[in-house]
Amino acid sequence: MIKQEDVYQIGRLGKPHGVRGEITFLFDDDVFDRVEAEYLILQLDGILVPFFLEEYRFRGDASAILKFCDIDTQEEASGLTGSPVFFSRNHHAGDEETLSKAELVGFRIVDSYSEEEIGVISAIDDSTPNILFNVTAEDGKTLLIPASPDLIEAFSRETRELKMNLPEGILNL
């Protein structure tokens, strides 16, 4: 059984494309193209289910047309419309030095100076040139922390932890 903590969301399925069972995929992260993975994980009725890829092609920077194995008609594809799409945390590009933005959701942020946990990344706001981590603190407050690579000192996929050298006073803003 696939668990929620073992995956991260990379997009959502749109409408069927044509009559052969193809479907539009709107993605935030093209990790499925950078990493050799045979399947994507869809959430159907609250259950995470692997769907094996037969083929795909990009339509732009944020969308692709997918063809899943055993989904052969427009009707079958339309049953998947709106489904969230996830990627397994066990598959990564083999590059231990980088993480995708989508993969960071769920990571704990720890201040490298004080070693105190700041909170958990709940979302990433990339709507402006200055990307921000939306962090949920233990007290339930939402903090906005710059996602600058200059502030990130280390990360661990195993512990899902991001050590950051945060400027003094940034948490008081």
Side-chain angles (χ1 to χ4, degrees), residues 42 52 73 76 109 111 118 171:
L42 305 184
F52 288 84
T73 67
E76 291 172 329
I109 292 183
D111 183 4
I118 306 302
L171 299 176

Side-chain angles (χ1 to χ4, degrees), residues 3-97:
K3 298 178 184 172
Q4 191 71 40
E5 59 267 13
D6 296 334
V7 298
Y8 60 97
Q9 188 169 351
I10 61 169
R12 181 171 295 280
L13 293 180
K15 297 178 183 178
H17 182 81
V19 294
R20 295 187 326 115
E22 295 179 316
I23 192 163
T24 304
F25 174 39
L26 307 169
F27 57 85
D28 301 322
D29 190 324
D30 67 348
V31 67
F32 68 96
D33 187 48
R34 293 181 279 118
V35 176
E36 286 194 39
E38 298 175 344
Y39 61 91
L40 294 176
I41 300 164
L42 305 184
Q43 187 173 29
L44 303 172
D45 297 326
I47 300 171
L48 297 170
V49 181
F51 277 75
F52 288 84
L53 290 166
E54 188 173 304
E55 62 183 42
Y56 65 90
R57 63 187 181 277
F58 289 98
R59 285 186 55 174
D61 291 341
S63 68
I65 304 297
L66 302 181
K67 172 71 174 81
F68 291 115
C69 295
D70 301 323
I71 303 294
D72 298 317
T73 67
Q74 182 178 13
E75 291 76 25
E76 291 172 329
S78 68
L80 302 176
T81 296
S83 298
V85 179
F86 296 86
F87 198 77
S88 174
R89 290 189 188 278
N90 293 330
H91 293 105
H92 52 82
D95 179 2
E96 295 297 324
E97 298 298 317

Side-chain angles (χ1 to χ4, degrees), residues 60-149:
D61 291 341
S63 68
I65 304 297
L66 302 181
K67 172 71 174 81
F68 291 115
C69 295
D70 301 323
I71 303 294
D72 298 317
T73 67
Q74 182 178 13
E75 291 76 25
E76 291 172 329
S78 68
L80 302 176
T81 296
S83 298
V85 179
F86 296 86
F87 198 77
S88 174
R89 290 189 188 278
N90 293 330
H91 293 105
H92 52 82
D95 179 2
E96 295 297 324
E97 298 298 317
T98 60
L99 289 168
S100 68
K101 287 188 293 187
E103 191 175 359
L104 285 168
V105 174
F107 270 58
R108 294 178 301 116
I109 292 183
V110 175
D111 183 4
S112 61
Y113 178 73
S114 68
E115 293 293 325
E116 291 182 24
E117 182 175 330
I118 306 302
V120 177
I121 299 172
S122 57
I124 297 178
D125 181 355
D126 60 359
S127 62
T128 66
N130 297 319
I131 299 172
L132 299 170
F133 293 136
N134 289 359
V135 178
T136 303
E138 284 187 20
D139 63 4
K141 291 183 182 176
T142 298
L143 305 170
L144 297 175
I145 297 177
S148 171

